[in-house]
Amino acid sequence: MASSNSIPSPIKLEPPGPRKIVDEEKAKGFIKFWTEQLLDYRQKVQGAASSSETNGVILCDRIRLSDKTYTAEAAQVIASFLKDPFEGGTPLAHGIVEADLSDMIASRKTEEGLQVLQTICDAFVDSQLVDVDLSDNAIGEQGIGACKTVLNKRTLERLALCNNGLSCETMGQVADILTNDEDGTGCIATNLTKIHFYNNMSGEDGCKEFARILEKSTKLVDIRFSSTRAGRDGSDIVASALDASLAEGHNPNLEKLDLCDNVFTNKASCEALFRALGGTKHLTYLDLRDCDLEDEGVKKVCHALFESDSILEYLNLSGNDVQKRGAKHIADYLRDCGGKLKVLRLEDNELTSKGVESIAAAFHSSEDGHSIEEIQMNNCLIGAIGARAIIDAFGPGGKDMPNLKKILLNGNSFTEDIVGELEVAFDDRLGDLDDNDSDGDADDDLSDEDEDEEDEEEEEDADGAVDDLADAMDKSLVV
């Protein structure tokens, strides 16, 4: 008889077919389809192990109801299927630990949408959920109440609430649930390893609520707090909370950090952000797109990453008004610490060909070829000089970037001849160039820039010396 090690893994339930409105009749069709899958799986389990070993075997541990719109009647059919004993055994919901409940109520009126959410969520009242995704559902204050059954799980480790239209008040409700410790046994936030808030409208006050969650979190590996209308003051709050959390030794295994579309222009938020980055040890993914960093901010980000023990695989600094001086700092990071980087995204900056030359040269620093897989430099004022620098960095047959799979250079200024050279060098790795400016005049002003470059570098050095002196004076003050 086969050992229990040969028992196949539990299956994942997903509704078949394309996106559609699911009424009661269609939901019954899903139940029939799932029942066939589950019975087939149970037969395989019975064939792989003895009857004693199959007692209590979980048939399904994951469910995805996303990308469909359910009526209230359909939700009731599905909830009953999950809650009721299955074929004489335990309810399926008891074994489910991962529930993707995103995008279930599109086009439904508010009252029905809330009813659908509550009906589905309440089906998991006896589940030990670990992973819950409620993204892409229009959730207001009432919506949080409708979803409380799945949000209020002490077993919860991973939570996503993206594109839900969360207001500051709703964020407050979420924070209350996640930080509640009335019985003194610890709160849900303490066990979270992943928390995603994206494309909400919680504003500055929502940042305060997110800071409450961070304050209680100790095990986070994956943080996403982006496009929430944080503004400068809200971004200060988030950066300070993150800095304080890491300084206290919380979340030491942080691997992914997405703070896209926050505004790090205030000195306090910048310094807190840089300290936080410098304090990471395992960060592999960093997204700071559209954060108003400019050259000086990018310089300090790269310096913080250099000081940290982290080895990035993904870095996004797009949309930060990075010019050639900032590009040099990115190049320095690539040369000194970026040998493991797989994805570099720098689109919507003003790198110019001079900045791209610096970055391209940094890829030559790896003797065995760089590990880079994707380079994105759309809309970066690149011309022929920059294009040829990238081609040169790629090397004959791609020997210096042997892992490169994709290079995106749309929205720059390449003549037909340069486009031809790029196509020959990169072949199908090269993305579309449908927004290319074929006039090829992006490099026309570079000679004027060269004359000013030395003066700019001297000014930057002087500014840096002033900053160092100011910091030293601040540290020497006795209050």
Side-chain angles (χ1 to χ4, degrees):
M1 182 63 65
S3 71
S4 59
N5 290 333
S6 62
I7 294 177
S9 299
I11 66 173
K12 177 180 181 179
L13 297 183
E14 295 186 77
R19 183 181 186 89
K20 56 188 170 186
I21 295 177
V22 179
D23 58 17
E24 183 177 3
E25 197 62 33
K26 289 187 176 69
K28 289 178 179 178
F30 292 170
I31 302 307
K32 181 179 179 181
F33 175 74
W34 288 339
T35 299
E36 291 172 356
Q37 285 185 315
L38 290 161
L39 292 177
D40 180 61
Y41 170 75
R42 187 164 72 179
Q43 188 173 8
K44 290 178 181 177
V45 169
Q46 291 170 340
S50 66
S51 58
S52 62
E53 290 174 317
T54 60
N55 290 336
V57 168
I58 293 172
L59 301 180
C60 162
D61 63 355
R62 292 155 294 152
I63 188 168
R64 177 180 178 271
L65 297 176
S66 178
D67 201 30
K68 300 286 188 293
T69 297
Y70 301 91
T71 65
E73 295 77 15
Q76 187 59 57
V77 169
I78 293 171
S80 296
F81 176 69
L82 296 174
K83 291 190 298 183
D84 295 342
F86 178 75
E87 297 288 324
T90 59
L92 294 171
H94 286 192
I96 293 176
V97 295
E98 295 183 10
D100 183 350
L101 310 180
S102 60
D103 195 13
M104 299 193 303
I105 58 173
S107 79
R108 296 293 89 186
K109 291 184 177 180
T110 301
E111 183 178 354
E112 185 179 22
L114 292 173
Q115 187 178 350
V116 169
L117 285 173
Q118 181 150 4
T119 300
I120 295 294
C121 289
D122 285 353
F124 299 98
V125 64
D126 295 317
S127 304
Q128 302 297 304
L129 291 177
V130 172
D131 189 315
V132 171
D133 189 347
L134 287 164
S135 301
D136 299 310
N137 293 304
I139 296 176
E141 290 184 52
Q142 293 174 296
I144 292 300
C147 301
K148 193 171 183 179
T149 302
V150 297
L151 290 173
N152 204 23
K153 293 287 183 184
R154 291 304 180 99
T155 52
L156 194 62
E157 296 179 8
R158 300 183 292 275
L159 174 63
L161 285 164
C162 301
N163 195 34
N164 293 117
L166 300 183
S167 66
C168 59
E169 292 81 8
T170 313
M171 274 293 294
Q173 286 188 309
V174 174
D176 287 343
I177 293 170
L178 298 182
T179 61
N180 179 42
D181 185 20
E182 288 183 357
D183 59 7
T185 60
C187 61
I188 296 168
T190 304
N191 290 320
L192 289 177
T193 60
K194 168 188 168 181
I195 189 161
H196 281 197
F197 293 100
Y198 162 73
N199 201 29
N200 289 303
M201 53 183 188
S202 50
E204 179 184 337
D205 287 338
C207 294
K208 295 175 183 177
E209 304 300 340
F210 181 64
R212 286 173 56 203
I213 298 170
L214 277 183
E215 184 182 3
K216 298 293 184 180
S217 301
T218 61
K219 301 176 183 177
L220 286 170
V221 174
D222 184 351
I223 298 174
R224 186 181 193 188
F225 191 77
S226 55
S227 300
T228 63
R229 304 185 185 179
R232 288 178 173 81
D233 292 338
S235 299
D236 284 355
I237 294 167
V238 172
S240 296
L242 182 62
D243 177 34
S245 174
L246 292 171
E248 291 171 5
H250 296 170
N251 309 309
N253 296 313
L254 183 63
E255 295 178 5
K256 298 183 70 175
L257 180 61
D258 180 352
L259 297 176
C260 167
D261 198 26
N262 284 282
V263 185
F264 299 115
T265 54
N266 291 343
K267 184 176 181 180
S269 63
C270 288
E271 295 303 325
L273 174 64
F274 305 144
R275 282 194 303 270
L277 293 177
T280 62
K281 299 180 183 297
H282 304 285
L283 198 65
T284 60
Y285 180 107
L286 178 61
D287 191 339
L288 294 175
R289 183 188 179 107
D290 296 327
C291 287
D292 284 357
L293 291 170
E294 300 185 339
D295 286 347
E296 185 63 21
V298 166
K299 172 186 174 181
K300 291 185 177 180
V301 166
C302 291
H303 180 72
L305 292 172
F306 177 81
E307 293 293 323
S308 76
D309 294 325
S310 297
I311 301 175
L312 288 187
E313 295 181 0
Y314 177 104
L315 176 61
N316 191 346
L317 293 170
S318 300
N320 277 296
D321 196 22
V322 184
Q323 302 181 24
K324 63 179 183 295
R325 283 192 294 167
K328 288 183 178 180
H329 298 301
I330 295 170
D332 289 341
Y333 172 75
L334 290 172
R335 190 176 295 108
D336 296 335
C337 308
K340 301 296 182 182
L341 197 68
K342 294 180 180 179
V343 178
L344 177 63
R345 295 186 172 174
L346 298 172
E347 69 176 351
D348 297 325
N349 284 304
E350 298 180 8
L351 301 177
T352 75
S353 285
K354 284 298 183 181
V356 172
E357 273 189 315
S358 298
I359 292 170
F363 285 117
H364 284 305
S365 59
S366 260
E367 293 182 4
D368 299 325
H370 204 279
S371 59
I372 195 74
E373 295 179 5
E374 178 184 327
I375 299 172
Q376 187 179 91
M377 293 183 181
N378 297 323
N379 304 307
C380 285
L381 305 181
I382 308 170
I385 294 172
R388 286 175 172 149
I390 298 171
I391 293 171
D392 182 56
F394 186 56
K399 73 177 183 63
D400 295 325
M401 295 184 189
N403 302 301
L404 188 69
K405 298 174 183 177
K406 184 186 297 184
I407 182 163
L408 305 177
L409 298 170
N410 206 6
N412 291 297
S413 185
F414 308 129
T415 62
E416 186 175 339
D417 289 344
I418 296 300
V419 169
E421 292 179 31
L422 289 167
E423 290 174 340
V424 169
F426 296 110
D427 196 25
D428 58 359
R429 302 176 185 85
L430 183 66
D432 290 340
L433 294 174
D434 51 324
D435 285 333
N436 176 58
D437 176 5
S438 59
D439 290 343
D441 55 4
D443 295 342
D444 288 355
D445 297 329
L446 290 184
S447 58
D448 294 334
E449 290 183 7
D450 289 342
E451 293 176 5
D452 297 332
E453 187 169 349
E454 185 174 340
D455 291 338
E456 289 177 354
E457 290 178 351
E458 289 177 359
E459 182 180 346
E460 181 179 9
D461 291 340
D463 289 343
V466 170
D467 289 342
D468 291 341
L469 178 59
D471 289 341
M473 291 176 66
D474 286 343
K475 293 176 182 177
S476 68
L477 289 176
V478 178
V479 179

